[in-house]
Amino acid sequence: MMNNSLVMYDEDYRKLLAIIQRLVQDATAKGVFLVDTNGQMVADAGEMEGIDTTSLASLTAGNIAASSGLAKIIGEEEFPTHFHQGQRDNLFITLVANRIILVVVFDERSSLGLVRLRVKKAGVQVAQIFEEIRKKAEQEQASGGGSPFSEITDDDIDNLFSE
Amino acid sequence: MSFINYSAREINCKIVYYGPGLCGKTTNLQFIYNRTNPEVKGKMISLATETERTLFFDFLPLALGEIRGFKTRFHLYTVPGQVFYDASRKLILKGVDGVVFVADSQVERMEANMESLDNLRVNLAEQGYDLDKIPFVMQYNKRDVPNAAPLDELRKLLNPTDSIPDFEACATKGTGVFETLKSSAKMILKDLRSMSR
Ligand SMILES: Nc1nc2c(ncn2[C@@H]2O[C@H](COP(=O)(O)OP(=O)(O)OP(=O)(O)O)[C@@H](O)[C@H]2O)c(=O)[nH]1
Ligand SMILES: [Mg+2]
């Protein structure tokens, strides 16, 4: 079934966080975000306080979805990287393993060349973690269980709407 | 495709509001946005034309509360209803957990309703989803207009086997809007439960 959830455990999350925190430093970036292609924020790192990460995730996913649609129209498989240049801040966006989007925000303290180089390495590592997550999900499915939702009752669900 | 995050103890689900142009999808989200507490909602994003027709999508994140220590978040999206935006509609459906179909009650929009419902089925199938198997809720909107088709007629056309929950609504006043949303959210959570058993 298509409808498998993306399930992320604490240890995977920590590994991903470590990778993007290192990327912030290595690329002298202001912020790095990992976004699911369906628009969910997975992890963020850096100094960008007060930024609306939920909106960022949804728009990034929309952006990637639209440009991969465009790619197909002109006979390309995908446009795996995107660069948006601003007055002060720039965005570098990469699609990793067709599953997860790596977003880097940087300013004049860094450069496109450096960001591109560092993202390449980090992207490989992120892809590995997601491969592990996928394997775990398969095992879970085979053994049938583990989800916090197997236990919930109708009352639990109704209570959510009781106010 | 829900996202269960054990680290943040969160579960995220995606609801898509589908339906023909001008049926009131964006109005549903606006009403929900205006009537929820600030701590429950995030920013509403509308990618629209100058005439306020949805161009790509509307997006509204909602946090509904906790279930067994997990924050449950719902991401509401609308599609652009105008026929020629089909490529965009397909993109928005990616990773959907539940669909709300907003039908326009005006008699002269019956064909547009049917066409949009067919289009939904086809676009879902393209992504490997079966409309009969995913959480699906029907809303008959614009019940207040003078030229509204009788309820029986709408049902006969849009929910002939009475197999899905359906609601009458007037999205501008908010009637039926939260009932529709709650029904969809409940179906999604029950669906998640049955899949994890
Ligand atoms: N009378 C009446 N008008 C409504 C109702 N719901 C929405 N409208 C009006 O219908 C028009 C279109 O509503 P939208 O919510 O923008 O429609 P939409 O489905 O998002 O349209 P697209 O973005 O083009 O797909 C607006 O002028 C709304 O005020 C309703 O229940 N009754
Ligand atoms: Mg709209």
Side-chain angles (χ1 to χ4, degrees):
Chain A
M1 183 66 205
M2 286 276 305
N3 228 353
N4 288 334
S5 304
L6 169 61
V7 178
M8 195 160 66
Y9 294 98
D10 209 36
E11 65 170 306
D12 303 316
Y13 175 74
R14 282 171 200 285
K15 284 184 200 160
L16 289 170
L17 198 59
I19 295 169
I20 62 173
Q21 281 169 344
R22 205 174 317 126
L23 181 56
V24 167
Q25 301 208 316
D26 290 351
T28 350
K30 291 178 80 175
V32 175
F33 305 87
L34 275 178
V35 178
D36 172 47
T37 44
N38 295 325
Q40 324 268 16
M41 180 59 69
V42 174
D44 65 278
E47 52 171 81
M48 305 201 67
E49 264 165 49
I51 193 169
D52 182 349
T53 52
T54 313
S55 297
L56 181 135
S58 150
L59 288 172
T60 302
N63 191 338
I64 286 288
S67 50
S68 82
L70 275 175
K72 279 170 194 108
I73 288 172
I74 64 161
E76 276 290 323
E77 184 68 28
E78 200 66 73
F79 296 125
T81 64
H82 302 258
F83 174 51
H84 298 286
Q85 186 166 20
Q87 294 278 353
R88 273 194 325 269
D89 293 337
N90 312 295
L91 272 180
F92 188 79
I93 304 178
T94 319
L95 182 61
V96 176
N98 262 317
R99 179 76 192 81
I100 198 84
I101 306 163
L102 190 61
V103 183
V104 180
V105 185
F106 66 98
D107 60 16
E108 81 286 344
R109 287 173 291 173
S110 186
S111 70
L112 178 58
L114 179 66
V115 170
R116 199 187 285 277
L117 184 73
R118 300 304 188 196
V119 160
K120 207 169 230 172
K121 185 172 134 210
V124 173
Q125 296 168 339
V126 167
Q128 269 167 3
I129 310 283
F130 272 86
E131 183 54 24
E132 285 169 26
I133 291 175
R134 195 187 59 75
K135 279 192 189 136
K136 260 185 232 171
E138 267 177 20
Q139 285 166 3
E140 285 280 324
Q141 195 120 64
S143 66
S147 159
F149 285 84
S150 54
E151 303 282 299
I152 59 171
T153 62
D154 283 0
D155 280 346
D156 286 334
I157 295 175
D158 286 332
N159 286 339
L160 201 55
F161 300 97
S162 57
E163 327 83 81
Chain B
M1 167 77 111
S2 54
F3 172 33
I4 303 173
N5 186 339
Y6 279 83
S7 193
R9 301 197 77 73
E10 273 181 11
I11 169 139
N12 291 279
C13 304
K14 176 171 178 178
I15 301 178
V16 174
Y17 283 69
Y18 214 92
L22 297 177
C23 66
K25 301 174 291 295
T26 299
T27 311
N28 263 268
L29 259 64
Q30 280 166 342
F31 185 82
I32 295 164
Y33 180 80
N34 290 333
R35 290 301 169 89
T36 41
N37 296 326
E39 64 273 16
V40 169
K41 66 189 172 197
K43 233 173 100 184
M44 179 162 165
I45 294 174
S46 290
L47 303 180
T49 66
E50 277 173 16
T51 54
E52 299 203 353
R53 304 296 299 268
T54 302
L55 178 63
F56 194 7
F57 58 77
D58 301 298
F59 168 69
L60 173 60
L62 286 181
L64 283 189
E66 291 199 0
I67 289 187
R68 306 245 166 159
F70 275 75
K71 282 174 237 141
T72 53
R73 295 183 195 279
F74 285 86
H75 288 179
L76 313 188
Y77 284 83
T78 73
V79 298
Q82 294 181 85
V83 175
F84 56 88
Y85 287 136
D86 199 37
S88 302
R89 275 193 294 280
K90 290 180 192 184
L91 298 177
I92 311 301
L93 281 177
K94 271 180 35 173
V96 67
D97 293 298
V99 177
V100 170
F101 188 88
V102 180
D104 192 326
S105 291
Q106 298 179 86
V107 175
E108 63 269 25
R109 295 299 283 164
M110 279 320 113
E111 226 175 276
N113 287 330
M114 301 291 289
E115 227 171 75
S116 177
L117 187 58
D118 284 344
N119 175 255
L120 168 63
R121 189 177 286 282
V122 169
N123 284 346
L124 281 173
E126 240 174 62
Q127 318 240 1
Y129 297 103
D130 181 347
L131 181 58
D132 299 325
K133 296 210 175 103
I134 64 168
F136 183 42
V137 175
M138 179 68 65
Q139 178 187 82
Y140 310 115
N141 190 33
K142 302 198 187 178
R143 293 310 295 153
D144 59 312
V145 295
N147 54 339
L151 188 59
D152 304 355
E153 214 162 287
L154 283 160
R155 279 216 168 102
K156 221 177 347 181
L157 283 173
L158 300 167
N159 190 10
T161 54
D162 199 19
S163 50
I164 51 170
D166 55 6
F167 301 89
E168 293 186 85
C170 171
T172 36
K173 296 196 194 87
T175 324
V177 168
F178 276 100
E179 288 81 349
T180 309
L181 171 64
K182 283 179 189 179
S183 170
S184 173
K186 277 189 193 185
M187 277 180 97
I188 289 171
L189 292 172
K190 287 181 181 171
D191 194 53
L192 272 178
R193 177 178 65 188
S194 70
M195 275 190 296
S196 63
R197 273 185 174 160

